[in-house]
PDB file of all heavy atoms in Angstrom:
ATOM      1  N   ASN A  80     -59.657 106.829-130.073  1.00 86.00           N
ATOM      2  CA  ASN A  80     -58.644 106.714-129.030  1.00 86.00           C
ATOM      3  C   ASN A  80     -57.773 105.499-129.261  1.00 86.00           C
ATOM      4  O   ASN A  80     -58.007 104.432-128.722  1.00 86.00           O
ATOM      5  CB  ASN A  80     -59.326 106.626-127.662  1.00 86.00           C
ATOM      6  CG  ASN A  80     -59.752 107.992-127.163  1.00 86.00           C
ATOM      7  OD1 ASN A  80     -59.197 109.015-127.578  1.00 86.00           O
ATOM      8  ND2 ASN A  80     -60.713 108.023-126.269  1.00 86.00           N
ATOM      9  N   LEU A  82     -53.652 103.906-129.758  1.00 98.00           N
ATOM     10  CA  LEU A  82     -52.217 104.085-129.519  1.00 98.00           C
ATOM     11  C   LEU A  82     -51.483 103.944-130.847  1.00 98.00           C
ATOM     12  O   LEU A  82     -50.866 102.909-131.118  1.00 98.00           O
ATOM     13  CB  LEU A  82     -51.724 103.041-128.515  1.00 98.00           C
ATOM     14  CG  LEU A  82     -52.306 103.156-127.105  1.00 98.00           C
ATOM     15  CD1 LEU A  82     -52.038 101.884-126.317  1.00 98.00           C
ATOM     16  CD2 LEU A  82     -51.722 104.361-126.388  1.00 98.00           C
ATOM     17  N   ILE A  83     -51.555 104.989-131.665  1.00 98.00           N
ATOM     18  CA  ILE A  83     -50.914 104.942-132.977  1.00 98.00           C
ATOM     19  C   ILE A  83     -50.252 106.288-133.255  1.00 98.00           C
ATOM     20  O   ILE A  83     -50.472 107.258-132.522  1.00 98.00           O
ATOM     21  CB  ILE A  83     -51.918 104.615-134.100  1.00 98.00           C
ATOM     22  CG1 ILE A  83     -53.017 105.686-134.176  1.00 98.00           C
ATOM     23  CG2 ILE A  83     -52.536 103.230-133.896  1.00 98.00           C
ATOM     24  CD1 ILE A  83     -53.946 105.556-135.375  1.00 98.00           C
ATOM     25  N   ASN A  84     -49.465 106.328-134.318  1.00 98.00           N
ATOM     26  CA  ASN A  84     -48.919 107.595-134.801  1.00 98.00           C
ATOM     27  C   ASN A  84     -49.784 108.022-135.980  1.00 98.00           C
ATOM     28  O   ASN A  84     -50.964 108.250-135.804  1.00 98.00           O
ATOM     29  CB  ASN A  84     -47.437 107.425-135.156  1.00 98.00           C
ATOM     30  CG  ASN A  84     -46.611 107.128-133.925  1.00 98.00           C
ATOM     31  OD1 ASN A  84     -46.649 107.895-132.968  1.00 98.00           O
ATOM     32  ND2 ASN A  84     -45.885 106.022-133.921  1.00 98.00           N
ATOM     33  N   GLY A  96     -42.088  97.361-134.186  1.00 98.00           N
ATOM     34  CA  GLY A  96     -42.197  96.936-132.786  1.00 98.00           C
ATOM     35  C   GLY A  96     -42.017  95.439-132.649  1.00 98.00           C
ATOM     36  O   GLY A  96     -41.316  94.958-131.749  1.00 98.00           O
ATOM     37  N   ALA A 100     -39.136  93.616-130.448  1.00 98.00           N
ATOM     38  CA  ALA A 100     -39.510  92.794-129.292  1.00 98.00           C
ATOM     39  C   ALA A 100     -39.097  91.331-129.477  1.00 98.00           C
ATOM     40  O   ALA A 100     -38.951  90.618-128.485  1.00 98.00           O
ATOM     41  CB  ALA A 100     -41.016  92.878-129.054  1.00 98.00           C
ATOM     42  N   HIS A 101     -38.930  90.906-130.717  1.00 98.00           N
ATOM     43  CA  HIS A 101     -38.674  89.489-130.989  1.00 98.00           C
ATOM     44  C   HIS A 101     -37.455  89.333-131.899  1.00 98.00           C
ATOM     45  O   HIS A 101     -37.592  89.033-133.089  1.00 98.00           O
ATOM     46  CB  HIS A 101     -39.909  88.835-131.614  1.00 98.00           C
ATOM     47  CG  HIS A 101     -41.140  88.986-130.768  1.00 98.00           C
ATOM     48  ND1 HIS A 101     -41.331  88.290-129.598  1.00 98.00           N
ATOM     49  CD2 HIS A 101     -42.212  89.796-130.892  1.00 98.00           C
ATOM     50  CE1 HIS A 101     -42.479  88.638-129.047  1.00 98.00           C
ATOM     51  NE2 HIS A 101     -43.036  89.562-129.805  1.00 98.00           N
ATOM     52  N   LEU A 266     -69.986  92.523-130.291  1.00 97.00           N
ATOM     53  CA  LEU A 266     -70.736  93.377-129.356  1.00 97.00           C
ATOM     54  C   LEU A 266     -70.458  94.852-129.613  1.00 97.00           C
ATOM     55  O   LEU A 266     -71.088  95.725-129.023  1.00 97.00           O
ATOM     56  CB  LEU A 266     -70.372  93.021-127.911  1.00 97.00           C
ATOM     57  CG  LEU A 266     -70.610  91.577-127.478  1.00 97.00           C
ATOM     58  CD1 LEU A 266     -70.389  91.428-125.981  1.00 97.00           C
ATOM     59  CD2 LEU A 266     -72.024  91.123-127.833  1.00 97.00           C
ATOM     60  N   THR A 305     -77.306  86.899-122.647  1.00 98.00           N
ATOM     61  CA  THR A 305     -76.338  86.483-121.640  1.00 98.00           C
ATOM     62  C   THR A 305     -75.259  85.637-122.318  1.00 98.00           C
ATOM     63  O   THR A 305     -75.435  85.167-123.447  1.00 98.00           O
ATOM     64  CB  THR A 305     -77.011  85.628-120.563  1.00 98.00           C
ATOM     65  OG1 THR A 305     -77.499  84.422-121.188  1.00 98.00           O
ATOM     66  CG2 THR A 305     -78.162  86.360-119.903  1.00 98.00           C
ATOM     67  N   ALA A 306     -74.174  85.406-121.582  1.00 98.00           N
ATOM     68  CA  ALA A 306     -73.116  84.541-122.113  1.00 98.00           C
ATOM     69  C   ALA A 306     -73.665  83.165-122.468  1.00 98.00           C
ATOM     70  O   ALA A 306     -73.302  82.584-123.490  1.00 98.00           O
ATOM     71  CB  ALA A 306     -71.977  84.423-121.100  1.00 98.00           C
ATOM     72  N   ALA A 307     -74.566  82.657-121.631  1.00 98.00           N
ATOM     73  CA  ALA A 307     -75.147  81.331-121.893  1.00 98.00           C
ATOM     74  C   ALA A 307     -75.946  81.340-123.192  1.00 98.00           C
ATOM     75  O   ALA A 307     -75.851  80.413-124.008  1.00 98.00           O
ATOM     76  CB  ALA A 307     -76.037  80.911-120.725  1.00 98.00           C
ATOM     77  N   PRO A 340     -62.105  91.580-122.770  1.00 97.00           N
ATOM     78  CA  PRO A 340     -61.084  91.132-121.820  1.00 97.00           C
ATOM     79  C   PRO A 340     -61.198  89.639-121.526  1.00 97.00           C
ATOM     80  O   PRO A 340     -62.241  89.011-121.738  1.00 97.00           O
ATOM     81  CB  PRO A 340     -61.353  91.970-120.578  1.00 97.00           C
ATOM     82  CG  PRO A 340     -62.769  92.386-120.673  1.00 97.00           C
ATOM     83  CD  PRO A 340     -63.108  92.456-122.141  1.00 97.00           C
ATOM     84  N   GLU A 343     -64.080  87.825-119.547  1.00 98.00           N
ATOM     85  CA  GLU A 343     -65.306  87.501-120.287  1.00 98.00           C
ATOM     86  C   GLU A 343     -65.129  86.249-121.144  1.00 98.00           C
ATOM     87  O   GLU A 343     -66.069  85.462-121.311  1.00 98.00           O
ATOM     88  CB  GLU A 343     -65.735  88.684-121.157  1.00 98.00           C
ATOM     89  CG  GLU A 343     -66.095  89.915-120.346  1.00 98.00           C
ATOM     90  CD  GLU A 343     -66.523  91.090-121.218  1.00 98.00           C
ATOM     91  OE1 GLU A 343     -67.132  90.874-122.278  1.00 98.00           O
ATOM     92  OE2 GLU A 343     -66.241  92.247-120.839  1.00 98.00           O
ATOM     93  N   TYR A 345     -63.360  83.689-120.362  1.00 98.00           N
ATOM     94  CA  TYR A 345     -63.500  82.517-119.480  1.00 98.00           C
ATOM     95  C   TYR A 345     -64.958  82.296-119.090  1.00 98.00           C
ATOM     96  O   TYR A 345     -65.392  81.144-118.926  1.00 98.00           O
ATOM     97  CB  TYR A 345     -62.596  82.642-118.255  1.00 98.00           C
ATOM     98  CG  TYR A 345     -61.185  82.194-118.550  1.00 98.00           C
ATOM     99  CD1 TYR A 345     -60.127  83.097-118.557  1.00 98.00           C
ATOM    100  CD2 TYR A 345     -60.909  80.862-118.847  1.00 98.00           C
ATOM    101  CE1 TYR A 345     -58.834  82.680-118.843  1.00 98.00           C
ATOM    102  CE2 TYR A 345     -59.618  80.443-119.145  1.00 98.00           C
ATOM    103  CZ  TYR A 345     -58.585  81.351-119.145  1.00 98.00           C
ATOM    104  OH  TYR A 345     -57.307  80.929-119.436  1.00 98.00           O
ATOM    105  N   GLU A 350     -69.591  78.403-120.452  1.00 98.00           N
ATOM    106  CA  GLU A 350     -70.884  78.143-121.096  1.00 98.00           C
ATOM    107  C   GLU A 350     -70.710  77.197-122.284  1.00 98.00           C
ATOM    108  O   GLU A 350     -71.530  76.301-122.504  1.00 98.00           O
ATOM    109  CB  GLU A 350     -71.540  79.452-121.542  1.00 98.00           C
ATOM    110  CG  GLU A 350     -71.827  80.428-120.406  1.00 98.00           C
ATOM    111  CD  GLU A 350     -72.772  79.873-119.345  1.00 98.00           C
ATOM    112  OE1 GLU A 350     -73.490  78.889-119.626  1.00 98.00           O
ATOM    113  OE2 GLU A 350     -72.789  80.414-118.221  1.00 98.00           O
ATOM    114  N   SER A 365     -57.812  72.925-125.039  1.00 98.00           N
ATOM    115  CA  SER A 365     -58.501  74.200-125.177  1.00 98.00           C
ATOM    116  C   SER A 365     -57.517  75.342-125.377  1.00 98.00           C
ATOM    117  O   SER A 365     -56.338  75.242-125.031  1.00 98.00           O
ATOM    118  CB  SER A 365     -59.371  74.463-123.961  1.00 98.00           C
ATOM    119  OG  SER A 365     -58.622  74.319-122.792  1.00 98.00           O
ATOM    120  N   ARG A 404     -46.519  79.435-127.436  1.00 97.00           N
ATOM    121  CA  ARG A 404     -45.212  78.854-127.112  1.00 97.00           C
ATOM    122  C   ARG A 404     -45.377  77.804-126.044  1.00 97.00           C
ATOM    123  O   ARG A 404     -46.001  78.045-125.015  1.00 97.00           O
ATOM    124  CB  ARG A 404     -44.270  79.955-126.626  1.00 97.00           C
ATOM    125  CG  ARG A 404     -42.873  79.421-126.352  1.00 97.00           C
ATOM    126  CD  ARG A 404     -41.901  80.535-126.052  1.00 97.00           C
ATOM    127  NE  ARG A 404     -40.643  79.976-125.591  1.00 97.00           N
ATOM    128  CZ  ARG A 404     -39.631  80.690-125.096  1.00 97.00           C
ATOM    129  NH1 ARG A 404     -39.742  82.003-125.014  1.00 97.00           N
ATOM    130  NH2 ARG A 404     -38.539  80.101-124.685  1.00 97.00           N
ATOM    131  N   TRP A 405     -44.833  76.640-126.314  1.00 97.00           N
ATOM    132  CA  TRP A 405     -44.697  75.629-125.271  1.00 97.00           C
ATOM    133  C   TRP A 405     -43.666  74.599-125.696  1.00 97.00           C
ATOM    134  O   TRP A 405     -43.330  74.469-126.864  1.00 97.00           O
ATOM    135  CB  TRP A 405     -46.024  74.962-124.912  1.00 97.00           C
ATOM    136  CG  TRP A 405     -46.834  74.354-126.016  1.00 97.00           C
ATOM    137  CD1 TRP A 405     -46.548  73.216-126.720  1.00 97.00           C
ATOM    138  CD2 TRP A 405     -48.080  74.848-126.530  1.00 97.00           C
ATOM    139  NE1 TRP A 405     -47.546  72.977-127.636  1.00 97.00           N
ATOM    140  CE2 TRP A 405     -48.504  73.954-127.542  1.00 97.00           C
ATOM    141  CE3 TRP A 405     -48.884  75.944-126.228  1.00 97.00           C
ATOM    142  CZ2 TRP A 405     -49.683  74.130-128.252  1.00 97.00           C
ATOM    143  CZ3 TRP A 405     -50.059  76.127-126.930  1.00 97.00           C
ATOM    144  CH2 TRP A 405     -50.446  75.226-127.926  1.00 97.00           C
ATOM    145  N   GLY A 406     -43.141  73.893-124.718  1.00 95.00           N
ATOM    146  CA  GLY A 406     -42.212  72.791-124.984  1.00 95.00           C
ATOM    147  C   GLY A 406     -40.795  73.243-125.271  1.00 95.00           C
ATOM    148  O   GLY A 406     -39.882  72.427-125.274  1.00 95.00           O
ATOM    149  N   VAL A 407     -40.600  74.534-125.539  1.00 93.00           N
ATOM    150  CA  VAL A 407     -39.247  75.073-125.756  1.00 93.00           C
ATOM    151  C   VAL A 407     -39.141  76.429-125.098  1.00 93.00           C
ATOM    152  O   VAL A 407     -40.138  77.112-124.903  1.00 93.00           O
ATOM    153  CB  VAL A 407     -38.912  75.236-127.257  1.00 93.00           C
ATOM    154  CG1 VAL A 407     -38.546  73.909-127.858  1.00 93.00           C
ATOM    155  CG2 VAL A 407     -40.064  75.882-128.021  1.00 93.00           C
TER     156      VAL A 407
ATOM    157  N   ASN B 115     -72.168  96.177-123.250  1.00 86.00           N
ATOM    158  CA  ASN B 115     -72.001  95.033-124.146  1.00 86.00           C
ATOM    159  C   ASN B 115     -70.911  94.117-123.628  1.00 86.00           C
ATOM    160  O   ASN B 115     -69.763  94.197-124.036  1.00 86.00           O
ATOM    161  CB  ASN B 115     -71.677  95.522-125.559  1.00 86.00           C
ATOM    162  CG  ASN B 115     -72.929  95.975-126.284  1.00 86.00           C
ATOM    163  OD1 ASN B 115     -74.034  95.550-125.938  1.00 86.00           O
ATOM    164  ND2 ASN B 115     -72.765  96.811-127.285  1.00 86.00           N
ATOM    165  N   LEU B 117     -69.781  89.968-122.425  1.00 98.00           N
ATOM    166  CA  LEU B 117     -70.059  88.538-122.508  1.00 98.00           C
ATOM    167  C   LEU B 117     -70.146  87.978-121.097  1.00 98.00           C
ATOM    168  O   LEU B 117     -69.217  87.352-120.602  1.00 98.00           O
ATOM    169  CB  LEU B 117     -68.944  87.840-123.293  1.00 98.00           C
ATOM    170  CG  LEU B 117     -68.830  88.234-124.764  1.00 98.00           C
ATOM    171  CD1 LEU B 117     -67.498  87.773-125.343  1.00 98.00           C
ATOM    172  CD2 LEU B 117     -69.991  87.655-125.557  1.00 98.00           C
ATOM    173  N   ILE B 118     -71.261  88.240-120.439  1.00 98.00           N
ATOM    174  CA  ILE B 118     -71.438  87.776-119.066  1.00 98.00           C
ATOM    175  C   ILE B 118     -72.872  87.271-118.888  1.00 98.00           C
ATOM    176  O   ILE B 118     -73.721  87.458-119.761  1.00 98.00           O
ATOM    177  CB  ILE B 118     -71.167  88.885-118.030  1.00 98.00           C
ATOM    178  CG1 ILE B 118     -72.131  90.073-118.231  1.00 98.00           C
ATOM    179  CG2 ILE B 118     -69.730  89.359-118.121  1.00 98.00           C
ATOM    180  CD1 ILE B 118     -72.039  91.138-117.167  1.00 98.00           C
ATOM    181  N   ASN B 119     -73.103  86.631-117.755  1.00 98.00           N
ATOM    182  CA  ASN B 119     -74.462  86.263-117.381  1.00 98.00           C
ATOM    183  C   ASN B 119     -74.935  87.310-116.369  1.00 98.00           C
ATOM    184  O   ASN B 119     -75.027  88.480-116.702  1.00 98.00           O
ATOM    185  CB  ASN B 119     -74.472  84.835-116.824  1.00 98.00           C
ATOM    186  CG  ASN B 119     -74.106  83.823-117.904  1.00 98.00           C
ATOM    187  OD1 ASN B 119     -74.731  83.803-118.952  1.00 98.00           O
ATOM    188  ND2 ASN B 119     -73.106  83.014-117.656  1.00 98.00           N
ATOM    189  N   GLY B 131     -64.900  78.653-115.786  1.00 98.00           N
ATOM    190  CA  GLY B 131     -64.283  78.562-117.107  1.00 98.00           C
ATOM    191  C   GLY B 131     -62.803  78.250-117.027  1.00 98.00           C
ATOM    192  O   GLY B 131     -62.284  77.416-117.770  1.00 98.00           O
ATOM    193  N   ALA B 135     -61.009  74.984-118.609  1.00 98.00           N
ATOM    194  CA  ALA B 135     -60.013  75.137-119.677  1.00 98.00           C
ATOM    195  C   ALA B 135     -58.630  74.654-119.256  1.00 98.00           C
ATOM    196  O   ALA B 135     -57.810  74.344-120.116  1.00 98.00           O
ATOM    197  CB  ALA B 135     -59.930  76.597-120.117  1.00 98.00           C
ATOM    198  N   HIS B 136     -58.383  74.604-117.951  1.00 98.00           N
ATOM    199  CA  HIS B 136     -57.034  74.276-117.467  1.00 98.00           C
ATOM    200  C   HIS B 136     -57.095  73.189-116.410  1.00 98.00           C
ATOM    201  O   HIS B 136     -56.950  73.457-115.218  1.00 98.00           O
ATOM    202  CB  HIS B 136     -56.352  75.533-116.922  1.00 98.00           C
ATOM    203  CG  HIS B 136     -56.287  76.644-117.921  1.00 98.00           C
ATOM    204  ND1 HIS B 136     -55.431  76.618-119.003  1.00 98.00           N
ATOM    205  CD2 HIS B 136     -57.001  77.784-118.048  1.00 98.00           C
ATOM    206  CE1 HIS B 136     -55.616  77.707-119.735  1.00 98.00           C
ATOM    207  NE2 HIS B 136     -56.556  78.434-119.185  1.00 98.00           N
ATOM    208  N   LEU B 301     -57.113 105.357-122.389  1.00 97.00           N
ATOM    209  CA  LEU B 301     -57.762 106.029-123.510  1.00 97.00           C
ATOM    210  C   LEU B 301     -59.277 105.896-123.420  1.00 97.00           C
ATOM    211  O   LEU B 301     -60.010 106.510-124.187  1.00 97.00           O
ATOM    212  CB  LEU B 301     -57.274 105.439-124.836  1.00 97.00           C
ATOM    213  CG  LEU B 301     -55.772 105.508-125.109  1.00 97.00           C
ATOM    214  CD1 LEU B 301     -55.484 105.094-126.537  1.00 97.00           C
ATOM    215  CD2 LEU B 301     -55.236 106.909-124.854  1.00 97.00           C
ATOM    216  N   THR B 340     -49.927 111.153-130.046  1.00 98.00           N
ATOM    217  CA  THR B 340     -49.482 110.029-130.865  1.00 98.00           C
ATOM    218  C   THR B 340     -48.834 108.988-129.957  1.00 98.00           C
ATOM    219  O   THR B 340     -48.489 109.272-128.806  1.00 98.00           O
ATOM    220  CB  THR B 340     -48.437 110.482-131.891  1.00 98.00           C
ATOM    221  OG1 THR B 340     -47.298 110.976-131.178  1.00 98.00           O
ATOM    222  CG2 THR B 340     -48.982 111.591-132.785  1.00 98.00           C
ATOM    223  N   ALA B 341     -48.622 107.808-130.506  1.00 98.00           N
ATOM    224  CA  ALA B 341     -47.935 106.765-129.740  1.00 98.00           C
ATOM    225  C   ALA B 341     -46.565 107.254-129.280  1.00 98.00           C
ATOM    226  O   ALA B 341     -46.141 106.983-128.146  1.00 98.00           O
ATOM    227  CB  ALA B 341     -47.798 105.502-130.588  1.00 98.00           C
ATOM    228  N   ALA B 342     -45.877 107.998-130.141  1.00 98.00           N
ATOM    229  CA  ALA B 342     -44.544 108.508-129.785  1.00 98.00           C
ATOM    230  C   ALA B 342     -44.646 109.467-128.601  1.00 98.00           C
ATOM    231  O   ALA B 342     -43.839 109.417-127.665  1.00 98.00           O
ATOM    232  CB  ALA B 342     -43.912 109.199-130.989  1.00 98.00           C
ATOM    233  N   GLU B 378     -51.699  97.742-131.598  1.00 98.00           N
ATOM    234  CA  GLU B 378     -51.347  99.031-130.986  1.00 98.00           C
ATOM    235  C   GLU B 378     -50.227  98.873-129.953  1.00 98.00           C
ATOM    236  O   GLU B 378     -49.400  99.777-129.785  1.00 98.00           O
ATOM    237  CB  GLU B 378     -52.587  99.657-130.333  1.00 98.00           C
ATOM    238  CG  GLU B 378     -53.671  99.999-131.332  1.00 98.00           C
ATOM    239  CD  GLU B 378     -54.900 100.633-130.673  1.00 98.00           C
ATOM    240  OE1 GLU B 378     -54.742 101.351-129.674  1.00 98.00           O
ATOM    241  OE2 GLU B 378     -56.028 100.404-131.168  1.00 98.00           O
ATOM    242  N   TYR B 380     -47.760  96.826-130.166  1.00 98.00           N
ATOM    243  CA  TYR B 380     -46.487  96.765-130.891  1.00 98.00           C
ATOM    244  C   TYR B 380     -46.079  98.135-131.419  1.00 98.00           C
ATOM    245  O   TYR B 380     -44.887  98.461-131.483  1.00 98.00           O
ATOM    246  CB  TYR B 380     -46.545  95.712-132.003  1.00 98.00           C
ATOM    247  CG  TYR B 380     -46.260  94.322-131.475  1.00 98.00           C
ATOM    248  CD1 TYR B 380     -47.233  93.347-131.464  1.00 98.00           C
ATOM    249  CD2 TYR B 380     -45.002  94.002-130.971  1.00 98.00           C
ATOM    250  CE1 TYR B 380     -46.972  92.070-130.966  1.00 98.00           C
ATOM    251  CE2 TYR B 380     -44.728  92.730-130.477  1.00 98.00           C
ATOM    252  CZ  TYR B 380     -45.715  91.775-130.475  1.00 98.00           C
ATOM    253  OH  TYR B 380     -45.442  90.519-129.981  1.00 98.00           O
ATOM    254  N   GLU B 385     -41.984 102.592-130.121  1.00 98.00           N
ATOM    255  CA  GLU B 385     -41.682 103.944-129.620  1.00 98.00           C
ATOM    256  C   GLU B 385     -40.912 103.866-128.300  1.00 98.00           C
ATOM    257  O   GLU B 385     -39.989 104.642-128.056  1.00 98.00           O
ATOM    258  CB  GLU B 385     -42.976 104.745-129.433  1.00 98.00           C
ATOM    259  CG  GLU B 385     -43.777 104.954-130.718  1.00 98.00           C
ATOM    260  CD  GLU B 385     -43.004 105.724-131.787  1.00 98.00           C
ATOM    261  OE1 GLU B 385     -42.008 106.384-131.464  1.00 98.00           O
ATOM    262  OE2 GLU B 385     -43.405 105.638-132.970  1.00 98.00           O
ATOM    263  N   SER B 400     -38.186  91.142-123.450  1.00 98.00           N
ATOM    264  CA  SER B 400     -39.403  91.940-123.565  1.00 98.00           C
ATOM    265  C   SER B 400     -40.644  91.085-123.410  1.00 98.00           C
ATOM    266  O   SER B 400     -40.610  89.868-123.585  1.00 98.00           O
ATOM    267  CB  SER B 400     -39.435  92.681-124.895  1.00 98.00           C
ATOM    268  OG  SER B 400     -39.199  91.788-125.938  1.00 98.00           O
ATOM    269  N   LEU B 409     -60.315  95.338-116.748  1.00 98.00           N
ATOM    270  CA  LEU B 409     -61.548  95.012-117.463  1.00 98.00           C
ATOM    271  C   LEU B 409     -61.435  95.467-118.918  1.00 98.00           C
ATOM    272  O   LEU B 409     -60.501  95.069-119.595  1.00 98.00           O
ATOM    273  CB  LEU B 409     -62.758  95.648-116.760  1.00 98.00           C
ATOM    274  CG  LEU B 409     -63.079  95.075-115.371  1.00 98.00           C
ATOM    275  CD1 LEU B 409     -64.128  95.929-114.671  1.00 98.00           C
ATOM    276  CD2 LEU B 409     -63.557  93.625-115.456  1.00 98.00           C
ATOM    277  N   ARG B 439     -45.957  80.800-120.577  1.00 97.00           N
ATOM    278  CA  ARG B 439     -45.460  79.429-120.668  1.00 97.00           C
ATOM    279  C   ARG B 439     -44.273  79.370-121.596  1.00 97.00           C
ATOM    280  O   ARG B 439     -44.333  79.859-122.714  1.00 97.00           O
ATOM    281  CB  ARG B 439     -46.575  78.505-121.183  1.00 97.00           C
ATOM    282  CG  ARG B 439     -46.142  77.060-121.234  1.00 97.00           C
ATOM    283  CD  ARG B 439     -47.299  76.137-121.530  1.00 97.00           C
ATOM    284  NE  ARG B 439     -46.804  74.792-121.768  1.00 97.00           N
ATOM    285  CZ  ARG B 439     -47.555  73.791-122.219  1.00 97.00           C
ATOM    286  NH1 ARG B 439     -48.829  74.001-122.473  1.00 97.00           N
ATOM    287  NH2 ARG B 439     -47.042  72.604-122.410  1.00 97.00           N
ATOM    288  N   TRP B 440     -43.203  78.790-121.109  1.00 97.00           N
ATOM    289  CA  TRP B 440     -42.100  78.436-121.987  1.00 97.00           C
ATOM    290  C   TRP B 440     -41.215  77.396-121.315  1.00 97.00           C
ATOM    291  O   TRP B 440     -41.270  77.219-120.106  1.00 97.00           O
ATOM    292  CB  TRP B 440     -41.278  79.660-122.408  1.00 97.00           C
ATOM    293  CG  TRP B 440     -40.746  80.537-121.328  1.00 97.00           C
ATOM    294  CD1 TRP B 440     -39.754  80.257-120.447  1.00 97.00           C
ATOM    295  CD2 TRP B 440     -41.167  81.888-121.053  1.00 97.00           C
ATOM    296  NE1 TRP B 440     -39.532  81.343-119.643  1.00 97.00           N
ATOM    297  CE2 TRP B 440     -40.374  82.354-119.988  1.00 97.00           C
ATOM    298  CE3 TRP B 440     -42.119  82.746-121.616  1.00 97.00           C
ATOM    299  CZ2 TRP B 440     -40.520  83.637-119.460  1.00 97.00           C
ATOM    300  CZ3 TRP B 440     -42.261  84.020-121.080  1.00 97.00           C
ATOM    301  CH2 TRP B 440     -41.467  84.448-120.024  1.00 97.00           C
ATOM    302  N   GLY B 441     -40.456  76.686-122.121  1.00 95.00           N
ATOM    303  CA  GLY B 441     -39.484  75.735-121.591  1.00 95.00           C
ATOM    304  C   GLY B 441     -40.099  74.393-121.193  1.00 95.00           C
ATOM    305  O   GLY B 441     -39.371  73.436-120.972  1.00 95.00           O
ATOM    306  N   VAL B 442     -41.404  74.336-121.081  1.00 92.00           N
ATOM    307  CA  VAL B 442     -42.089  73.074-120.750  1.00 92.00           C
ATOM    308  C   VAL B 442     -43.371  72.981-121.558  1.00 92.00           C
ATOM    309  O   VAL B 442     -43.930  73.991-121.961  1.00 92.00           O
ATOM    310  CB  VAL B 442     -42.471  72.977-119.250  1.00 92.00           C
ATOM    311  CG1 VAL B 442     -41.268  72.581-118.428  1.00 92.00           C
ATOM    312  CG2 VAL B 442     -43.093  74.262-118.744  1.00 92.00           C
TER     313      VAL B 442
END
Side-chain angles (χ1 to χ4, degrees):
Chain A
N80 280 337
L82 295 165
I83 61 172
N84 294 305
H101 304 287
L266 302 188
T305 64
E343 297 180 33
Y345 277 113
E350 299 300 341
S365 52
R404 183 172 171 188
W405 54 71
V407 281
Chain B
N115 280 337
L117 295 165
I118 60 174
N119 294 306
H136 304 287
L301 301 189
T340 62
E378 296 180 33
Y380 277 113
E385 299 299 342
S400 51
L409 293 170
R439 183 171 171 189
W440 54 71
V442 280

